[in-house]
Amino acid sequence: MTFSFCPNCGHKLENIRCGDDDCKICPSCQKIYGSSPFPVVEVLVVNEFKEVLLLKQNYISESKWTVVSGYLTDGETIEEAVMREVKEETGQDVISCKYISSYYFAPKQLIMIGFIAYVKKSQFAHSDEVDDIRWYQLDEVNAVIARDNNCSGMHFDKCREFL
């Protein structure tokens, strides 16, 4: 995220050089701001039958399915965010998780931190963020997963070697 005004006091930020990086500084607070993408976890959820859980979120796509994802909250580790997002969006309890890769999503200035989360298949929970949810066999995922303007497909591709 790139700031033009100080989020603390509202003054217009000035451009400065910080080592070999371009930054901005608030002339009032003297706080320095760099360009920082927001961290988001992106999670491929897999059960003991090697089925993949995918979500339909119409605000993202009305025709394609996505993996679980969500922003980190203050004071939360990345692994805690994985467990929280999976539970909030699906009702599944994460048994373990494995870091896979990270991706930069330029359209929204996000750093996507990709994991596989392993769960024991259980009932889905209702979430206001999710329009539909279901388990897919591995060979069904390519036909339905979002790939345009979304990191879900890329993340699924990276996860395949671990499934």
Side-chain angles (χ1 to χ4, degrees):
M1 167 177 256
T2 304
F3 292 105
S4 295
F5 295 89
C6 179
N8 292 325
C9 70
H11 278 89
K12 185 167 177 55
L13 300 178
E14 298 174 359
N15 294 323
I16 62 167
R17 193 83 178 142
C18 300
D20 60 353
D21 296 321
D22 291 323
C23 299
K24 295 187 177 198
I25 189 167
C26 175
S28 178
C29 310
Q30 294 299 300
K31 182 165 169 103
I32 296 174
Y33 296 92
S35 178
S36 301
F38 284 114
V40 174
V41 292
E42 183 162 55
V43 188
L44 185 73
V45 179
V46 178
N47 67 27
E48 70 272 28
F49 307 109
K50 293 201 180 217
E51 296 172 311
V52 173
L53 186 150
L54 296 177
L55 309 175
K56 177 69 78 62
Q57 294 175 293
N58 290 337
Y59 75 94
I60 294 174
S61 174
E62 292 188 18
S63 61
K64 294 295 183 178
W65 294 72
T66 64
V67 299
V68 171
S69 63
Y71 294 97
L72 274 71
T73 60
D74 287 341
E76 179 176 60
T77 68
I78 297 169
E79 294 81 5
E80 289 167 340
V82 167
M83 291 184 280
R84 178 184 52 77
E85 285 293 338
V86 170
K87 183 69 171 179
E88 283 178 4
E89 294 185 3
T90 73
Q92 306 299 297
D93 291 311
V94 174
I95 297 167
S96 65
C97 63
K98 177 179 181 55
Y99 171 77
I100 302 300
S101 187
S102 62
Y103 321 91
Y104 183 66
F105 187 56
K108 293 191 176 181
Q109 294 181 329
L110 304 175
I111 185 72
M112 311 297 285
I113 308 163
F115 279 82
I116 295 177
Y118 299 96
V119 302
K120 183 176 178 189
K121 190 175 184 177
S122 63
Q123 288 289 104
F124 294 133
H126 171 74
S127 169
D128 292 336
E129 297 178 56
V130 176
D131 295 298
D132 201 358
I133 185 171
R134 71 171 277 204
W135 293 104
Y136 282 91
Q137 297 295 320
L138 277 176
D139 61 354
E140 299 174 309
V141 174
N142 268 329
V144 299
I145 198 160
R147 291 190 179 277
D148 294 335
N149 203 24
N150 189 291
C151 292
S152 288
M154 183 185 338
H155 184 55
F156 172 70
D157 294 344
K158 289 261 187 180
C159 291
R160 295 275 325 217
E161 66 187 81
F162 298 97
L163 301 177

